[in-house]
Amino acid sequence: MGIDSKYKIENRLKSAQDYEANGDNLHAMQLYYSIIDDEPDYVDTYFALAELFEKQGNIESAKKLLTDYLNENSGNNLFRLFYAQLLLRNSQWEDVIEILQSLSINEEPITAFFLGYSFFMLKNYEHARINFQHFISSGKKTELLHETYIYLAKTEIQLRNFESALEYAKKTEIVYSNFWELNLVFAIIHYHLDMYTHAISSISKALKLNANEPTVYKWAGKIFLKVGEYLKAEKYFLKYIGMVEYPASEIYSELGEAYLKTNKVKDALQYYELALKTDPLNKYAVEGRKKAASILQLSANEI
């Protein structure tokens, strides 16, 4: 492509972007397509048109456009990475993996992070760990490095490797010490390692940093229940239940236990019943309901 030709294309692309900026998406789209017809190898046009489709919520059209190009230009790694990022933004995890699986992690280390994140979101934690570790071992010094340590900590939590999770979380503490999610991660790890004083400290900080995240209240309830501070556990479980649409059976039964420990037996029975309605196989709730019902029956007999 000559200098004059490139200049003309850049001007046409700028005109299309101006149409788009002014809300004239139809004319912008027509101009993008005309540039693609005239210069099918000018990738910036594909990027701009795909982002316009994305802005309109038309992800399938964006995917078709980018897939068609990749089918003809499979060796364009930059294009493949752009496509992967669009898919990531739109939670298309399986497609990210398919698009990136042909790339060499050694040549494009960022691929490992994208793959790790996609596997994590798919709850495939073994593959997530492998890819996150590849990204770290690549030696790539980017802003994603500390974020990767957080995800590795979360991955190890899911794999129940709490000591490893703690090691990864500590690696990013200097940078993210005031990030609510890292403090939540520490609280979960400390809870599972029976380090309850640390768990209370971490969950209290997470609560201060983000009072709008339901998961923080859930873990606050679990931690305070474990250490015997039942009124606090009750408070945080109720807060959590009020913030989510479908609380898990486990949370209802743990709230039932908190009520039972403070002799609010009728309330305890109510939440054990809710737990069993959500999950009839919740053994914890079955035992709790029996205990609460027995206490109420004894009270009635005494009367």
Side-chain angles (χ1 to χ4, degrees):
M1 183 189 300
I3 295 176
D4 288 345
S5 177
K6 183 178 180 182
Y7 179 74
K8 288 178 182 178
I9 293 172
E10 287 175 348
N11 279 341
R12 290 170 69 192
L13 185 62
K14 175 66 167 55
S15 296
Q17 290 169 334
D18 287 342
Y19 279 130
E20 186 179 337
N22 290 323
D24 193 349
N25 291 335
L26 179 60
H27 278 92
M29 200 176 301
Q30 290 171 339
L31 191 46
Y32 286 138
Y33 273 121
S34 73
I35 298 170
I36 288 172
D37 288 339
D38 294 340
E39 293 290 344
D41 294 329
Y42 194 72
V43 295
D44 286 358
T45 314
Y46 294 87
F47 296 162
L49 181 53
E51 287 177 340
L52 175 55
F53 282 136
E54 182 183 19
K55 189 191 303 180
Q56 294 176 322
N58 191 355
I59 304 304
E60 291 307 311
S61 291
K63 288 170 66 175
K64 183 180 186 309
L65 173 74
L66 300 179
T67 299
D68 288 347
Y69 178 88
L70 269 186
N71 288 339
E72 299 296 325
N73 304 272
S74 60
N76 190 327
N77 291 353
L78 176 65
F79 194 96
R80 197 173 288 274
L81 287 170
F82 171 86
Y83 190 1
Q85 289 177 77
L86 181 142
L87 294 168
L88 283 165
R89 290 196 297 270
N90 292 280
S91 306
Q92 308 272 316
W93 317 121
E94 293 94 344
D95 290 334
V96 174
I97 294 166
E98 182 180 350
I99 289 296
L100 293 181
Q101 63 184 354
S102 65
L103 284 185
S104 166
I105 290 173
N106 292 330
E107 292 179 12
E108 302 289 350
I110 192 66
T111 301
F113 179 83
F114 291 161
L115 286 171
Y117 185 79
S118 298
F119 280 120
F120 180 87
M121 297 305 293
L122 290 169
K123 299 184 179 181
N124 185 335
Y125 299 115
E126 291 286 358
H127 280 83
R129 176 171 60 184
I130 290 168
N131 282 282
F132 284 138
Q133 287 175 338
H134 275 315
F135 180 69
I136 289 172
S137 64
S138 73
K140 196 77 172 176
K141 302 297 183 183
T142 76
E143 60 188 25
L144 288 175
L145 183 60
H146 289 283
E147 190 172 343
T148 304
Y149 282 126
I150 293 177
Y151 276 109
L152 265 170
K154 292 165 72 174
T155 299
E156 295 289 19
I157 287 171
Q158 295 298 328
L159 294 170
R160 304 194 68 78
N161 299 323
F162 301 113
E163 294 285 358
S164 295
L166 185 58
E167 289 180 19
Y168 286 125
K170 285 181 176 179
K171 288 180 182 294
T172 194
E173 191 173 10
I174 295 174
V175 175
Y176 284 110
S177 62
N178 288 319
F179 179 39
W180 71 269
E181 192 169 18
L182 179 61
N183 284 280
L184 174 61
V185 165
F186 272 123
I188 295 169
I189 294 168
H190 291 143
Y191 171 89
H192 285 291
L193 292 175
D194 299 334
M195 301 168 66
Y196 300 121
T197 300
H198 290 298
I200 290 171
S201 176
S202 296
I203 202 65
S204 297
K205 190 170 183 181
L207 284 164
K208 287 179 182 177
L209 291 169
N210 189 350
N212 298 313
E213 172 54 47
T215 310
V216 179
Y217 291 99
K218 179 181 79 172
W219 279 97
K222 292 171 76 70
I223 290 165
F224 284 111
L225 178 64
K226 182 67 75 170
V227 300
E229 295 195 36
Y230 303 118
L231 291 177
K232 286 185 178 180
E234 173 190 329
K235 167 187 167 185
Y236 291 123
F237 280 137
L238 286 172
K239 182 72 173 177
Y240 172 74
I241 289 168
M243 294 175 77
V244 299
E245 190 171 0
Y246 300 110
S249 175
E250 173 193 2
I251 302 304
Y252 284 134
S253 58
E254 289 183 326
L255 177 55
E257 182 183 352
Y259 277 130
L260 200 60
K261 293 292 187 181
T262 54
N263 295 316
K264 300 173 185 175
V265 184
K266 289 183 179 179
D267 290 326
L269 184 60
Q270 174 189 347
Y271 280 99
Y272 285 132
E273 294 284 4
L274 276 173
L276 289 168
K277 186 176 181 181
T278 305
D279 176 13
L281 300 179
N282 184 334
K283 294 179 180 179
Y284 189 85
V286 170
E287 291 303 315
R289 180 176 63 178
K290 286 180 182 177
K291 189 182 297 184
S294 176
I295 292 171
L296 289 174
Q297 185 61 49
L298 284 172
S299 298
N301 291 340
E302 288 174 2
I303 295 171

